[in-house]
Amino acid sequence: MPGEIPDESRIPAAAQPRPATPYIVIDLNIVRQRYAALRRLLPDATIYYAVKANPVVPVVAALAALGANFDIASEGELRRCREAGVTADRLSFGNTIKRDHEIADAVATGVGLFAFDSETELDKLARNAPGSRVFCRLLIENRGAEWPLSRKFGCEAHMAADLLIAARDRGLCPVGVSFHVGSQQTDPGAWPHAIGHAAWVFRACAHRGLGLELLNLGGGLPAHYRAAVPPLEAYVDAIESGLSREFGASRPSLLIEPGRYLVGDAGTLRAQVLLIARKSPHEHERWVYLDAGRFNGLPETEAERIHYPLRTPRDGSPCGTVILAGPTCDSSDILYRRHPYELPLELQVGDQVEFLSAGAYTASYAAVEFNGFAPIRTYCV
Ligand SMILES: Cc1ncc(COP(=O)(O)O)c(C=O)c1O
């Protein structure tokens, strides 16, 4: 039904033939392994899964069973978490742009932790969530991120300190600071840099008689696409060194909000070749059109930012450069043109093309029904 996130369900054990493409398969064991690795390497941080990365109920339920908490962005995500059996005390409303009634409803459900980055949002929180714990999001440089969040979120450190003091004066309970170093952050050094800014706010507030206790390290940990990224250990080492440098022995409580890292590598998006074409008899450039594209599952190919590894049944045979495009009538529905992809020369219409590490920002991050193409379905195994 248009407007609904596609139903996710367990892939039928005897799914022969396979479901019609395109669809996403999530391996819940990989999600569990990623969670366990982060838990082990960063035991002092409370993990809040950023539900937006993949909101299907089996993913939320699998993480909930392991004790995860959840970062939500809307009342829709709040409902998803509740459907998966998560109690409201395990939720943080991390979106800095909320409606009054969303805040009030979240409070009525039992949510007690909210983000803000502006005076107007602070007013909304003071009106609708008096006494709640709130944290201010800092504006942080996103250099090194393959999916930067630009300047849309956060405020400068000076302003954050002023807003946290104002929060106290308005009857809220200001607890700390958050940041996001940009999604698919390839440089672990982004965290110590951001922690330096956060520590400045802690000190500025302390001078004004407000002790902060919570540091939210945000998202940004990477999945594994075509380019190699440092191992998780390198990120944890960078975080630890930033914390030691800035806070010494008096560390705040830590919270981290991984999205992509937990679910990205757990997903495979299966598409089918619909058409292979050339633009003239003299051109060698092969255009390969798939049944998945920018509007159904692969929006992060915008500006060719995220480079998924591909797999086909004809891998191992000689390859040639292709331009990859989706099925819709929109010219922006071209996945990769500037960044050359090589696919087997034998590739045929009807062959399956798999996008690997496609578990994050694919399932729900898609058009409802652009050009009449249904939203992509997700199956969990
Ligand atoms: C507030 C917040 N936390 C966490 C995340 C998750 O980020 P990532 O998927 O890069 O880990 C996001 C993503 O946009 C976010 O907005």
Side-chain angles (χ1 to χ4, degrees):
M1 182 197 295
E4 255 188 12
I5 294 175
D7 274 5
E8 63 282 343
S9 51
R10 306 237 158 224
I11 201 164
Q16 296 295 344
R18 284 174 161 179
T21 58
Y23 62 93
I24 298 165
V25 181
I26 300 287
D27 183 339
L28 294 174
N29 272 337
I30 296 180
V31 179
R32 293 186 187 105
Q33 283 159 16
R34 292 291 190 277
Y35 180 85
L38 187 59
R39 180 69 299 125
R40 184 166 33 88
L41 288 175
L42 205 57
D44 294 339
T46 308
I47 300 176
Y48 279 68
Y49 169 55
V51 175
K52 57 181 78 70
N54 190 322
V56 301
V57 169
V59 167
V60 174
L63 287 167
L66 297 178
N69 292 3
F70 298 87
D71 162 53
I72 56 167
S74 66
E75 52 187 1
E77 288 189 354
L78 170 59
R79 266 198 309 277
R80 285 253 147 172
C81 289
R82 304 285 287 138
E83 273 167 47
V86 178
T87 50
D89 57 316
R90 292 162 73 184
L91 303 179
S92 164
F93 209 140
N95 193 347
T96 51
I97 310 157
K98 299 176 280 298
R99 294 174 194 275
D100 277 276
H101 79 78
E102 272 186 314
I103 300 171
D105 291 351
V107 170
T109 314
V111 178
L113 185 61
F114 295 87
F116 70 97
D117 64 4
S118 67
E119 192 165 8
T120 321
E121 192 70 12
L122 196 53
D123 287 338
K124 287 189 226 163
L125 289 169
R127 273 198 302 275
N128 298 290
S132 291
R133 299 166 78 229
V134 295
F135 55 91
C136 187
R137 182 160 168 177
L138 287 179
L139 179 59
I140 290 294
E141 172 69 62
N142 277 191
R143 194 175 305 136
E146 289 184 0
W147 192 265
L149 305 174
S150 74
R151 285 176 61 84
K152 183 170 176 187
F153 306 103
C155 63
E156 301 281 356
H158 281 95
M159 190 170 157
D162 289 346
L163 289 175
L164 286 160
I165 300 291
R168 178 186 60 185
D169 296 344
R170 286 176 209 192
L172 290 161
C173 176
V175 287
V177 167
S178 73
F179 57 75
H180 196 306
V181 294
S183 201
Q184 188 68 11
Q185 177 54 259
T186 58
D187 176 12
W191 273 267
H193 174 79
I195 290 168
H197 286 276
W200 185 93
V201 179
F202 272 68
R203 288 192 293 271
C205 286
H207 274 127
R208 294 160 75 178
L210 174 64
L212 298 177
E213 67 198 52
L214 178 77
L215 177 59
N216 179 341
L217 302 164
L221 295 175
H224 295 85
Y225 302 116
R226 285 219 298 182
V229 287
L232 183 61
E233 286 79 358
Y235 290 86
V236 171
D237 287 351
I239 290 169
E240 290 292 347
S241 74
L243 290 169
S244 302
R245 186 191 67 203
E246 299 294 338
F247 291 99
S250 45
R251 282 188 180 194
S253 321
L254 297 177
L255 195 156
I256 191 162
E257 297 173 342
R260 192 184 296 278
Y261 158 81
L262 286 176
V263 292
D265 295 338
T268 300
L269 186 151
R270 295 201 174 118
Q272 199 182 40
V273 178
L274 297 184
L275 179 69
I276 301 177
R278 290 186 161 80
K279 297 297 168 191
S280 87
H282 320 292
E283 277 183 39
H284 294 294
E285 219 172 43
R286 255 186 323 159
W287 285 70
V288 173
Y289 300 89
L290 304 173
D291 59 2
R294 179 69 51 79
F295 302 99
N296 57 344
L298 299 165
E300 289 203 323
T301 54
E302 187 194 329
E304 304 190 19
R305 286 224 180 91
I306 297 296
H307 300 152
Y308 298 97
L310 300 187
R311 189 164 63 195
T312 79
R314 299 179 197 271
D315 286 355
S317 61
C319 286
T321 307
V322 294
I323 297 171
L324 271 176
T328 67
C329 298
D330 195 301
S331 60
S332 73
D333 194 6
I334 295 175
L335 308 180
Y336 301 111
R337 185 178 199 172
R338 286 181 293 108
H339 293 87
Y341 268 68
E342 301 261 315
L343 286 181
L345 295 167
E346 292 175 0
L347 196 72
Q348 300 292 323
V349 168
D351 281 353
Q352 188 167 280
V353 174
E354 291 182 311
F355 289 72
L356 309 181
S357 292
Y361 304 111
T362 46
S364 62
Y365 199 177
V368 171
E369 206 183 14
F370 179 53
N371 262 200
F373 291 98
I376 195 157
R377 295 183 69 87
T378 298
Y379 300 92
C380 293
V381 293

